[in-house]
Amino acid sequence: MVFPAYFWAVVIVAFVVSAIGFKQYVWFFSIGYGFAIAAEGVLLFALYGKTMDWGMALCCALFVVYGCRLGGYLAYREAKLKSYHKHLGNEIKDSKTIPGFVKLSIWIACAVLYVTMVSPVFYRLDNGDGSNAWTYVGGALMLLGFLMETVADQQKKAAKAKNANRFVDTGLYRIVRCPNYLGELILWTGVLLVGIGSLSVGQWVVAGIGYVGIVYVMFSGARRLELRQNRTYGDDPEYQKYSTKVPILLPLIPLYSVVRYKWLVA
């Protein structure tokens, strides 16, 4: 498969920005993730800004806004929220204990994933194709996913401010137990749809790798959260009722637990 020249510029940006994970390895797929996507969006504007139309500009702008919000929120959480460290401190290994080759492997895997995730938008721009109906459908889903994730994070923050020791079951958390992850899935589904009508078979392979990868990561994250909540709230009858009535990730799909799927490890 031959990659366009500008493809390697996207690769370099993803590797450089996500390298923040060498400071704390979890940043490879948290803070580094958000800011890598934002940086890729900025790069696409720099490379194709003179020729992109409004539909493609919307998609690139959403990369930047989404990535900056996510990266900034995660950085703030790391720095300020004591409850975050209280609940996760024992789960996160000290970066100094992680072997160098493991960090290198995580870095490469994450950076490659971030490149493939934005590839439908990149390829449409590089192919010289303007927006079509799928561009706007995909852009609308990207916006919806972004708003859902943003609202879910704010609702959780507000609920924890009222009662830090109770699980969150208000707002979007009445629909699914992981609405922020659902927002991610919606956003990246939108990105994938942007490629319809433009991508070649080989380009779809690259885009498919990114989409499957982020779906796996979201379900893996949902499993980690479920295990954590089971340890914290497992004896609470209200939580037991909530967790058996509200789907974990996909609305209207009666999937209430993913704990038994041990292959969901990331």
Side-chain angles (χ1 to χ4, degrees), residues 57-97:
L58 170 64
C59 296
C60 294
L62 284 170
F63 282 151
V64 177
V65 175
Y66 158 80
C68 287
R69 189 211 73 86
L70 179 61
Y73 173 79
L74 294 173
Y76 171 82
R77 188 176 68 179
E78 285 276 349
K80 298 294 184 180
L81 300 186
K82 294 182 180 179
S83 61
Y84 171 72
H85 293 284
K86 178 181 178 180
H87 288 292
L88 299 186
N90 294 330
E91 297 182 22
I92 299 177
K93 297 179 181 179
D94 188 334
S95 188
K96 295 179 181 179
T97 67

Side-chain angles (χ1 to χ4, degrees), residues 103-119:
K103 290 183 181 180
L104 181 63
S105 299
I106 295 173
W107 178 44
I108 293 173
C110 287
V112 170
L113 177 62
Y114 304 154
V115 171
T116 57
M117 285 164 60
V118 304
S119 65

Side-chain angles (χ1 to χ4, degrees), residues 22-219:
F22 284 105
K23 173 69 174 178
Q24 173 56 259
Y25 86 98
V26 295
W27 293 357
F28 282 128
F29 37 86
S30 60
I31 297 173
Y33 165 42
F35 288 130
I37 298 301
E40 288 172 324
V42 171
L43 177 64
L44 293 180
F45 272 119
L47 295 176
Y48 303 102
K50 293 182 180 180
T51 58
M52 69 172 60
D53 56 28
W54 285 105
M56 297 309 297
L58 170 64
C59 296
C60 294
L62 284 170
F63 282 151
V64 177
V65 175
Y66 158 80
C68 287
R69 189 211 73 86
L70 179 61
Y73 173 79
L74 294 173
Y76 171 82
R77 188 176 68 179
E78 285 276 349
K80 298 294 184 180
L81 300 186
K82 294 182 180 179
S83 61
Y84 171 72
H85 293 284
K86 178 181 178 180
H87 288 292
L88 299 186
N90 294 330
E91 297 182 22
I92 299 177
K93 297 179 181 179
D94 188 334
S95 188
K96 295 179 181 179
T97 67
I98 306 297
F101 77 91
V102 174
K103 290 183 181 180
L104 181 63
S105 299
I106 295 173
W107 178 44
I108 293 173
C110 287
V112 170
L113 177 62
Y114 304 154
V115 171
T116 57
M117 285 164 60
V118 304
S119 65
V121 173
F122 166 78
Y123 280 132
R124 177 172 281 279
L125 287 168
D126 197 73
N127 292 342
D129 296 326
S131 298
N132 61 9
W134 286 109
T135 306
Y136 291 99
V137 171
L141 285 178
M142 290 176 66
L143 180 59
L144 174 62
F146 167 73
L147 292 175
M148 176 175 286
E149 184 173 2
T150 302
V151 171
D153 285 341
Q154 291 303 314
Q155 288 178 339
K156 183 174 184 178
K157 181 180 178 181
K160 287 296 184 179
K162 292 182 179 179
N163 188 348
N165 297 317
R166 192 182 190 281
F167 62 94
V168 181
D169 60 348
T170 55
L172 293 174
Y173 291 83
R174 294 180 178 179
I175 301 173
V176 292
R177 305 206 309 274
C178 300
N180 50 343
Y181 294 163
L182 174 61
E184 289 264 350
L185 291 178
I186 292 173
L187 184 147
W188 292 109
T189 298
V191 173
L192 190 70
L193 294 181
V194 170
I196 295 178
S198 176
L199 276 60
S200 67
V201 173
Q203 291 170 346
W204 274 117
V205 170
V206 174
I209 291 172
Y211 185 71
V212 171
I214 192 59
V215 169
Y216 175 88
V217 169
M218 290 301 104
F219 273 91

